[in-house]
Amino acid sequence: MSIGRRMGRAALAGLVVLVTVLSGLWGALALWYQLPLGSVMRTVAAAVWLIGAIALLVFAAVQRSWLPLAAYGLAYLVLLGWWATIKPSNDRIWSDDVAQLLSGTVQGSQVTLQHVRNFTWRTDDDYDVHWETRQYDLEHLVSADAVLSYWGSPAIAHAMISFGFDDGRHVVFSVEIRKERGESYSPIGGFFRQFETILVAADERDIIRVRTNVRGEDDYLYPLQMDKQAMRALFLSYVQAANELVGTPTFYNTLTSNCTTIVYRMARQISTDLPRDYRLLLTGYLPEYFHDVGVVDRSISVDQLRQRSRITDLARRSGRADDFSKAIRARAE
């Protein structure tokens, strides 16, 4: 057998091993996250699947036969068939903070938002529930700010957009996971249809303050340089996205359908010039991306911009009786 042929067979064998192992691992995680069983049984099912995949791979190598791999392929098709039956839903027992779906109606420049969240948070488990119907006149829309909230890695942040009006009011839109009651966030689970997507509209005192003052996160507010027409279009894109989620529930995906990628897709409808970039996934580096594409102040460096945009201390010093939106913008010029 020629060297080229042996190398080709070795490469094919390596590819088969890689595909089998990766698909086996994916299948194990899919079973663990989605089987409607207790944690022990889900662990057993996932382990059996993964061990079975590896055993068939070894058996195929020892016997020099493709039949074990064909059996695995058939089992994998059955698994994919089951996976296709898992559908998103708006009908579950949800956590209080995501219990209501945002919706909006638009009449000319007047926008009415139903289920705007305005909770008073003392701890993550102690809060006053308050949902509101609010009206906004887009003729009085004057600002759009990107809010980034960090809780661990400098590479990862939760991204939100806050719109400001000339009467001092602000409303924040945030794409989030829709947790069921008692459920906690898992970035891996976000790859395996564990969560639905929700678009939350909330008062800044609620959605920013809970992160800085209750959860100990580090928040930054970046004023965006957008003309009024673009701000209005982006606001209406959020309203449209919210209404679509009411009629068509969607799974959250850690990589492809998260807090930043959805905003990016909406922004691309307004300006097709926005480039794709790894920083749309590593959201902690969005300030550099904003700076590069020119949607923030470029008269200063990114480091100066970041320092000027940090609002954590301002938020933590604010009292409950203070105008929170005004307080977090009271930075030195």
Side-chain angles (χ1 to χ4, degrees), residues 97-98 102 117 131 172-176 198-202 207:
D97 58 331
V98 290
L102 173 69
R117 203 180 76 195
W131 298 93
V172 182
F173 290 101
S174 175
V175 177
E176 303 189 1
I198 187 170
L199 179 54
V200 175
I207 202 165

Side-chain angles (χ1 to χ4, degrees), residues 134 136-137 140-143 145 162-172 203-205 322-329:
R134 293 188 177 183
Y136 300 95
D137 186 345
H140 296 275
L141 178 62
V142 294
S143 66
D145 302 314
S162 178
F163 291 94
F165 294 81
D166 58 14
D167 61 359
R169 292 190 302 162
H170 292 79
V171 61
V172 182
D203 193 278
E204 286 188 334
R205 175 180 291 278
D322 294 339
D323 183 329
F324 182 78
S325 295
K326 186 176 180 180
I328 62 176
R329 290 171 173 82

Side-chain angles (χ1 to χ4, degrees), residues 222 287-288 291 296-309:
Y222 296 92
E288 287 85 351
H291 199 268
V296 294
D297 185 1
R298 299 180 71 178
S299 67
I300 58 177
S301 69
V302 173
D303 289 340
Q304 291 172 317
L305 178 67
R306 184 179 283 108
Q307 182 179 7
R308 190 179 71 180
S309 299

Side-chain angles (χ1 to χ4, degrees), residues 127-149:
Y127 46 80
D128 297 327
V129 175
H130 195 200
W131 298 93
E132 300 176 349
T133 297
R134 293 188 177 183
Q135 292 184 326
Y136 300 95
D137 186 345
L138 297 184
E139 292 296 327
H140 296 275
L141 178 62
V142 294
S143 66
D145 302 314
V147 182
L148 300 183
S149 189

Side-chain angles (χ1 to χ4, degrees), residues 61-138:
V62 171
Q63 296 296 318
R64 296 181 178 274
S65 171
W66 290 99
L67 289 179
L69 294 178
Y72 172 72
L74 181 61
Y76 194 73
L77 288 176
V78 173
L79 181 72
L80 291 178
W82 162 75
W83 182 255
T85 67
I86 302 171
K87 304 296 183 182
S89 173
N90 283 331
D91 186 20
R92 306 190 195 278
I93 301 175
W94 305 108
S95 295
D96 289 338
D97 58 331
V98 290
Q100 302 294 336
L101 283 172
L102 173 69
S103 64
T105 56
V106 181
Q107 294 183 326
S109 66
Q110 300 292 324
V111 179
T112 301
L113 297 181
Q114 294 184 336
H115 300 139
V116 177
R117 203 180 76 195
N118 191 16
F119 283 24
T120 299
W121 297 86
R122 289 172 290 275
T123 70
D124 257 337
D125 301 315
D126 181 15
Y127 46 80
D128 297 327
V129 175
H130 195 200
W131 298 93
E132 300 176 349
T133 297
R134 293 188 177 183
Q135 292 184 326
Y136 300 95
D137 186 345
L138 297 184

